[in-house]
Amino acid sequence: MNDGKSITTIEGLARGDALHPLQQAFVEHDALQCGYCTPGQIMSAVGLLFEGRGRTDAEIREQMSGNLCRCGAYPNILAAVRQVAESRG
Amino acid sequence: MVPFSYTVAPTAGSAVAHVGATPGAEYIAGGTDMLQLLQDGVRTPAELVDISELPLAEIQVDANGARIGALARLSDVADDRRIQEEFPAVAQALAASASPQVRNMATIGGNLLQRTRCLYFRDLATPCNKREPGSGCPAQDGLNRMNAILGGSTHCIAAYPGDLAVALVALGALVHVIGAAGERAMAVEDLHQLPGDTPHIETALAPGELIAAVSIPVSKRARRSCSTASPSPWWWPIRWRRLATRPIWSR
């Protein structure tokens, strides 16, 4: 169904050793523990920022609501996404 | 999941003819409900006919109302400024549905035809009159907090889980269907059937019929409509119903 479309996965975000800003922010804000949900969290954040969303905390929370984190890193995930959203203006 | 073949429908007409004549052939568009049902083994199509690329995704709005293609993605309709202005209940119902990822994949037509979230329907280990007529309804005395309080029967109390349909019914919308005999329209209110003693029959669609679009008439009432919701989008069964504001509030 996505035949012919271009798909970017978590492995495609970094440029060599240079982390994507969201990856960097996740590290800085300790936004992961076991790391199992982390690729999905970051890809969802990439998506929401690409769509120009995430101007408020409430909007970030709602846009990220499709990704669950059993370790409960939500406050730090929010902080990481908020940081990158704000840096993009 | 049982093995199935996958084909891409070249046109709506050929898809309708093929699926209508082929037992075991079913449609797939966004696939957000179909995939779950396949994984749970609730649906076992022999063939999935992909209609997602058919030209039925346009959102048209004019002085008379809106015509929303059945293949329009939920997020595209929710984000459409004209829909937000003229039919806020629809935009709000969509924006509160599922999650952003699902909304980007799911289609309007698929949303209308999504299956119930009754625990027993989606669990092959339990009897279910909807899946297997006559096998029983464990929900009657079981875990039924998410089941219907209105419209059920002794055979089935499965609730319809979608929010969009409620807003469409409140606004007097029509659903346009392509069948073997051509196109026909019915009120959205008439699309879904009460379970009665035939819970396995959920809609008024004939085999192979394809939803092409939904149309909503413009009105002052529609412009002042709103969808109110409980705080969590996941507790859809206990949400408030969608309301069009009453005429006394319109200027």
Side-chain angles (χ1 to χ4, degrees), chain B residues 93-109:
Chain B
L94 288 172
S97 295
S99 66
Q101 295 88 339
V102 172
R103 294 198 290 272
N104 283 347
M105 291 171 66
T107 64
I108 294 291

Side-chain angles (χ1 to χ4, degrees), chain A residues 22-82:
Chain A
L22 272 166
Q23 291 174 311
Q24 188 62 42
F26 265 59
V27 170
E28 286 168 14
H29 289 275
D30 194 26
L32 66 152
Q33 291 184 31
C34 75
Y36 205 80
C37 75
T38 310
Q41 300 283 359
I42 293 177
M43 295 315 291
S44 287
V46 168
L48 81 93
L49 293 177
F50 177 79
E51 292 177 6
R53 306 186 201 262
R55 273 151 278 149
T56 65
D57 277 6
E59 198 181 7
I60 294 173
R61 288 182 197 281
E62 208 282 324
Q63 286 292 308
M64 296 294 289
S65 67
N67 292 82
L68 303 184
C69 173
R70 285 287 273 142
C71 297
Y74 297 115
N76 296 354
I77 293 170
L78 173 65
V81 178
R82 182 203 296 128

Side-chain angles (χ1 to χ4, degrees), chain B residues 21-105:
Chain B
T22 312
E26 298 184 27
Y27 295 119
I28 187 166
T32 53
D33 199 28
M34 175 59 85
L35 260 295
Q36 293 183 55
L37 294 164
L38 290 175
Q39 288 162 350
D40 289 339
V42 173
R43 286 175 91 162
T44 55
E47 177 186 358
L48 282 180
V49 177
D50 184 354
I51 53 169
S52 61
E53 296 292 311
L54 292 178
L56 294 173
E58 208 183 333
I59 305 170
Q60 298 167 337
V61 183
D62 61 26
N64 296 318
R67 184 178 167 108
I68 304 172
L71 292 174
R73 309 285 169 166
L74 303 190
S75 51
D76 288 338
V77 182
D79 289 342
D80 192 294
R81 287 261 178 263
R82 304 163 298 171
I83 302 293
Q84 290 173 357
E85 269 179 38
E86 296 295 329
F87 312 99
V90 170
Q92 290 166 19
L94 288 172
S97 295
S99 66
Q101 295 88 339
V102 172
R103 294 198 290 272
N104 283 347
M105 291 171 66

